Amino acid sequence: MQRFTEFDFGISWVLGFFHQDWTYEADTPAELVARHLPEGAGEETLAVRRDALTLLDGLPSQTLEVLWDAGTQYGIGFGRTTGAEWTRTVVDVCDTWLAARAQAPRPLTGADTEDGLAHRDEVVAEIERMGFLTEEVLRALVDCAHHCTPDLALRVLLRVVAYTSGASLSEEQYKRLEGIGSALHYGEFVVKDVKFLVDGD
């Protein structure tokens, strides 16, 4: 089984939009998300919507803010909105995109619905080994694994690690992450996004 893409997807993909120059691409965070949703079959949009609803169902607003802040290179900014409100906005952007399509995209099936529940303990163990992360971020990621899905928690972890100053991974850590990613049917470039952090690379 394969996912619909070899690259990152869902909310962890959206986190990557918020680099330091994102304000040159769009006037608002919602506009940025909308600009990145591609024309096509719609799997990207469905995956983002699925993840956002999973976050809203599983985590309180403050925990959502921690994850959004930790997983973006240049944060959303929660002075005028809450984590729950922003995550709901992402769902609304997806709904608007879907409503504008003449034909609804095919639902996510097979590997694209893998939630990783059988690998929860492994995902939590890898989160807890990331000693360079703050206690607040570690707790938020563990809560995501327990109250959302291990799949979503792992993808957000990879994005967080990639953006954390001073982060590094041992070869053993990276190989374990690769193994979990393979079990979750990730494409070639999902875990590989953090390979640059492996000691000696």
Side-chain angles (χ1 to χ4, degrees):
M1 283 195 298
Q2 289 185 321
R3 300 259 183 180
F4 70 88
T5 178
E6 289 292 302
F7 297 91
D8 199 5
F9 57 92
I11 285 295
S12 51
W13 176 61
V14 170
L15 289 169
F17 302 165
F18 292 91
H19 50 75
Q20 61 184 0
D21 296 323
W22 78 261
T23 54
Y24 295 105
E25 297 182 37
D27 292 329
T28 67
E31 181 186 341
L32 182 71
V33 175
R35 282 178 176 270
H36 278 270
L37 296 179
E39 295 297 329
E43 289 95 340
E44 291 90 349
T45 303
L46 291 175
V48 171
R49 186 179 189 276
R50 181 175 188 256
D51 278 356
L53 287 173
T54 299
L55 287 171
L56 283 169
D57 288 344
L59 297 175
S61 188
Q62 187 172 5
T63 303
L64 293 174
E65 291 175 25
V66 171
L67 293 178
W68 280 106
D69 280 339
T72 52
Q73 187 180 43
Y74 193 85
I76 310 297
F78 288 106
R80 289 172 291 180
T81 189
T82 68
E85 288 168 345
W86 163 243
T87 308
R88 171 56 63 182
T89 296
V90 174
V91 176
D92 292 343
V93 169
C94 293
D95 286 344
T96 298
W97 188 97
L98 292 166
R101 310 275 79 78
Q103 183 173 352
R106 70 169 184 84
L108 297 175
T109 59
D112 293 326
T113 63
E114 171 64 63
D115 55 21
L117 292 179
H119 303 280
R120 176 175 285 149
D121 290 346
E122 296 166 75
V123 170
V124 169
E126 293 307 319
I127 293 169
E128 292 176 339
R129 289 187 179 104
M130 303 295 178
F132 49 81
L133 298 178
T134 68
E135 186 62 35
E136 182 181 46
V137 172
L138 288 171
R139 186 168 58 250
L141 287 164
V142 169
D143 285 350
C144 185
H146 282 295
H147 302 297
C148 298
T149 68
D151 159 54
L152 178 52
L154 181 62
R155 285 185 284 112
V156 174
L157 171 68
L158 293 170
R159 187 63 68 177
V160 169
V161 167
Y163 287 149
T164 298
S165 177
S168 66
L169 299 172
S170 68
E171 187 67 40
E172 292 74 18
Q173 281 179 302
Y174 181 75
K175 287 193 176 302
R176 288 194 302 268
L177 291 170
E178 272 194 318
I180 301 170
S182 177
L184 298 180
H185 313 292
Y186 289 169
E188 178 182 356
F189 303 105
V190 178
V191 178
K192 192 173 279 186
D193 273 352
V194 297
K195 194 174 193 305
F196 74 99
L197 294 172
V198 174
D199 296 337
D201 276 16

